[in-house]
Amino acid sequence: MSECTHNCETCTQNCDSRDPKSFLERSHEMSSIKKVIGVVSGKGGVGKSMITSLLAVTLKRRGLNTAILDADVTGPSIPKAFGIKERASASSIGMFPVKSKTGIDIMSVNLLLEDETTPVVWRGPIIAGTVKQFWTDVIWDDVDYMFVDMPPGTGDVPLTVFQSIPLDGIIIVTSPQELVSMIVAKAVNMAKAMNIPILGVVENYSFAKCPDCGKEIKLFGESHIEETAAEHGIEVLAKLPIDPDLAKASDQGVIELYQGDYAEHLCDVIEEKTK
Ligand code: ADP
């Protein structure tokens, strides 16, 4: 367990002196989670789950114990990217995450459903309650970095998740075709209201590389991420291309075998800023 930082908004310790007014939930008493990073986006489909997966894989390769809490309950794509077929198990003391091939602990609603194609047609409070249980009732053993694949947007469900799980920082994922300035502003305001550090922003689908001449083609036009990030005083941590190999690795459930280095700098920053 990490040391108590005396700031209940960001600390993951379950001290008796925890601020009773806080909405933050305690993790399971048998859990040990050092750092928790939220990955957020303004809408679905921008690559939030992809980046969450790459972060967990990259830090795992660096010898750290990583975990993914898939809070994107209505679009849970993490188990598929890792090729996980088995169901999560439980005992009278709590639920257990499923371990990926390289040992990343994963919990997702798709690991609880009989059939992964069953749609999750639940109302907001039930979804938020499920995510809270992934934090409070799952035994997360010896985790250095947990990544939370947040529900997209800034509505009721992401707000509840933000309030209940003690995040040490967030990473904002955007794409060039979004209304970037508004989306980043909303995410920044939400994080600031909850006193959560913003580690930076990642632009996904920035360009595609011509397989013949190597030219970078900006499919969605010029990016405005640098100006937007500067306006809010945050760092652009990476600009990722549309990479067919990455899409293939995730579709085939072998994201852990993907060899690209897109997440290296991101992980340097995470390790540095959450020391
Ligand atoms: P979100 O979590 O934001 O809803 P996903 O991470 O599930 O989005 O990504 C949506 C789809 O796009 C997935 O099939 C994923 O494999 C693919 N994808 C994401 N980023 C890239 C990329 N940089 N290059 C190629 N495919 C990508």
Side-chain angles (χ1 to χ4, degrees):
M1 274 267 180
S2 54
E3 291 282 296
C4 172
T5 62
H6 305 290
N7 177 0
C8 298
E9 293 292 323
T10 53
C11 181
T12 54
Q13 270 283 19
N14 291 325
C15 309
D16 288 335
S17 60
R18 211 174 205 5
D19 179 359
K21 293 190 297 300
S22 166
F23 290 110
L24 291 173
E25 299 280 342
R26 288 181 176 208
S27 56
H28 193 284
E29 60 184 15
M30 289 172 72
S31 285
S32 163
I33 310 158
K34 292 200 181 104
K35 298 287 174 194
V36 188
I37 311 294
V39 185
V40 311
S41 71
K43 61 171 187 183
V46 298
K48 177 176 50 60
S49 307
M50 168 69 79
I51 291 174
T52 306
S53 307
L54 285 179
L55 290 171
V57 168
T58 306
L59 282 184
K60 181 75 192 170
R61 283 185 191 151
R62 292 185 186 183
L64 292 162
N65 289 334
T66 58
I68 300 178
L69 188 161
D70 187 359
D72 193 353
V73 170
T74 51
S77 44
I78 297 285
K80 184 164 190 306
F82 284 85
I84 295 177
K85 294 271 185 285
E86 67 254 54
R87 306 293 89 187
S89 57
S91 76
S92 56
I93 51 167
M95 287 191 279
F96 300 96
V98 172
K99 269 204 194 303
S100 74
K101 293 173 198 75
T102 62
I104 298 170
D105 283 326
I106 296 174
M107 181 50 96
S108 167
V109 76
N110 260 11
L111 303 177
L112 302 173
L113 300 173
E114 284 287 314
D115 174 359
E116 63 171 20
T117 60
T118 308
V120 176
V121 278
W122 299 342
R123 292 195 192 278
I126 306 288
I127 298 178
T130 304
V131 175
K132 272 194 215 171
Q133 278 187 289
F134 286 173
W135 175 252
T136 57
D137 298 0
V138 172
I139 299 170
W140 297 99
D141 184 28
D142 192 17
V143 175
D144 294 314
Y145 278 94
M146 170 185 280
F147 294 96
V148 183
D149 187 359
M150 298 286 275
T154 47
D156 188 34
V157 177
L159 181 68
T160 312
V161 177
F162 254 97
Q163 286 181 322
S164 352
I165 299 181
L167 298 169
D168 292 284
I170 60 157
I171 287 182
I172 305 170
V173 182
T174 66
S175 66
Q177 76 270 46
E178 278 184 295
L179 300 165
V180 158
S181 150
M182 189 186 74
I183 282 163
V184 171
K186 281 191 180 185
V188 167
N189 289 335
M190 186 146 137
K192 277 192 181 149
M194 268 162 265
N195 215 1
I196 299 167
I198 299 160
L199 304 177
V201 56
V202 176
E203 186 181 74
N204 196 18
Y205 312 134
S206 284
F207 56 92
K209 226 177 203 161
C210 169
D212 297 323
C213 68
K215 188 172 179 233
E216 290 185 1
I217 306 155
K218 292 184 176 141
L219 292 171
F220 300 111
E222 278 309 314
S223 157
H224 301 287
I225 194 66
E226 304 285 354
E227 301 100 276
T228 305
E231 259 171 48
H232 296 284
I234 55 178
E235 195 185 334
V236 179
L237 301 175
K239 286 183 173 185
L240 268 55
I242 296 176
D243 178 349
D245 290 340
L246 188 53
K248 202 162 126 197
S250 136
D251 279 352
Q252 294 180 344
V254 290
I255 193 75
E256 289 161 290
L257 297 180
Y258 179 74
Q259 288 303 326
D261 61 357
Y262 300 132
E264 291 295 339
H265 176 62
L266 272 163
C267 288
D268 292 345
V269 171
I270 290 172
E271 285 200 79
E272 183 57 37
K273 289 194 180 172
T274 59
K275 254 184 199 159

